[in-house]
Amino acid sequence: MLERYELEAFLTLAEELHFGRTAERLGVTTGRVSQTVKKLERRVGTPLFTRTSRSVRLTPVGHTLYEDLLPAYRQLRTALERATAAGRGLHGRLRAGFGTPWGGDLLTAAADALLALYPACEITVREVALDEGVRPLKDGMLDVQFVAFPVREPDLTTGPVVTTDERVLLLPSAHPLARRTSLDLEDLAGLDLIAPEGAAPDYWTDHHYPRSTPSGAPVGRGPAAATWQEVLSHVSAGRGAAPGAARGAAYHPRPGIAYVPLRDAPPLAYGLAWPTAAHSDLLGAFVAAVGTAAPA
């Protein structure tokens, strides 16, 4: 039987791919995380992660185990949150934000489901511009936000991964790389990436818009973009390229832009973040509702 701490340690490390950040999220030492993962690997009988001095990656077995366990873990958390909410009753106001159209769809579905059960609540959902980062949470403008991980802010709490997506590169359709069926991260060398500037923290920007390839080749910066519409305009005009999510092709079809898979890039992970000091029963129920509404 898989113990709860083994489950949480494995799933968190699979999301963070960093022992220090995993320990920070779980509130334990890196040594305990390492020991727990090793114990789980002995039980499974094969490595779940490959570790070097520079990186941590899931093995194929580890990736399969992550995909198998995550839905069950989300379902367990959702059941507990819903039971808690039903026992206490809910009221109050919640302001939720999203930065992607699929995030907006998900939050709206969760809000509708929750309001059907608790009509006394007030839940509003609004869009957050690409260059705002998590500033609306810090400024008190939002109570919860659907974000692309990582989020490592001392005053914010992050929930589990709600959904993932494969990474693609948005390119002008006339660019030579746009004719390829897929690319790898080394193909970013020499390109100018269109990235946000503003409130987005540097660690987040560098994670999604790397300044170098895995081998160290430099990756340039194109014009800054405050919104996804600006990103699309810059790419279609040939001013640069932009990493993005594969499902963006369905939400943002645009003449002059090709969405080419990045085959060796880790998947994008999305979830919720909220101010640590502002947790409430309504927020907990909403987090659970988002987990329930998320696609399997």
Side-chain angles (χ1 to χ4, degrees):
M1 178 68 67
L2 190 64
E3 296 179 4
R4 176 181 174 181
Y5 182 70
E6 291 176 318
L7 175 63
E8 292 180 341
F10 170 73
L11 292 176
T12 305
L13 183 59
E15 294 164 10
E16 293 288 351
L17 296 178
H18 189 282
F19 279 89
R21 292 195 295 269
T22 298
E24 184 178 341
R25 277 182 60 178
L26 296 176
V28 299
T29 65
T30 56
R32 186 175 178 192
V33 174
S34 179
Q35 291 170 4
T36 302
V37 171
K38 287 179 181 177
K39 178 182 175 182
L40 181 57
E41 288 178 324
R42 287 195 297 270
R43 180 180 301 181
V44 174
T46 189
L48 301 174
F49 298 90
T50 56
R51 310 158 176 84
T52 70
S53 59
R54 298 181 60 182
S55 68
V56 178
R57 290 184 176 274
L58 283 164
T59 64
V61 173
H63 183 72
T64 299
L65 182 61
Y66 173 75
E67 291 187 331
D68 288 344
L69 287 177
L70 184 60
Y73 180 65
R74 289 204 307 235
Q75 185 176 7
L76 176 62
R77 286 179 59 96
T78 296
L80 290 172
E81 293 284 2
R82 291 182 67 179
T84 301
R88 296 177 180 175
L90 289 178
H91 62 277
R93 178 171 178 255
L94 187 76
R95 300 160 300 171
F98 64 91
T100 64
W102 50 92
D105 291 347
L106 180 57
L107 297 195
T108 299
D112 288 346
L114 204 58
L115 290 172
L117 294 173
Y118 306 101
C121 297
E122 179 185 349
I123 303 175
T124 57
V125 177
R126 76 167 182 87
E127 186 176 8
V128 177
L130 182 62
D131 67 345
E132 288 187 85
V134 293
R135 180 57 58 189
L137 291 175
K138 291 176 169 288
D139 289 347
M141 303 302 293
L142 289 176
D143 302 303
V144 63
Q145 187 173 333
F146 186 77
V147 295
F149 291 146
V151 172
R152 299 192 291 270
E153 303 296 313
D155 54 345
L156 299 181
T157 294
T158 56
V161 171
V162 171
T163 184
T164 61
D165 200 0
E166 298 303 315
R167 296 192 193 218
V168 298
L169 188 66
L170 282 67
L171 286 161
S173 56
H175 194 283
L177 292 178
R179 294 190 291 271
R180 302 261 293 273
T181 57
S182 65
L183 303 170
D184 58 42
L185 291 172
E186 289 300 330
D187 290 315
L188 299 180
L191 294 177
D192 291 328
L193 298 186
I194 298 161
E197 290 183 358
D202 290 343
Y203 69 81
W204 186 92
T205 303
D206 290 343
H207 176 85
H208 292 279
Y209 304 88
R211 295 181 181 274
S212 62
T213 69
S215 69
V219 180
R221 281 286 190 265
T227 67
W228 268 105
Q229 290 304 317
E230 291 183 13
V231 171
L232 298 172
S233 295
H234 286 314
V235 173
S236 63
R239 300 190 184 105
R247 75 186 69 187
Y251 283 89
H252 300 298
R254 187 156 177 162
I257 295 180
Y259 289 76
V260 186
L262 281 167
R263 57 179 173 266
D264 63 340
L268 292 164
Y270 298 91
L272 296 173
W274 58 88
T276 302
H279 191 78
S280 67
D281 291 343
L282 177 55
L283 174 58
F286 185 75
V287 171
V290 170
T292 300

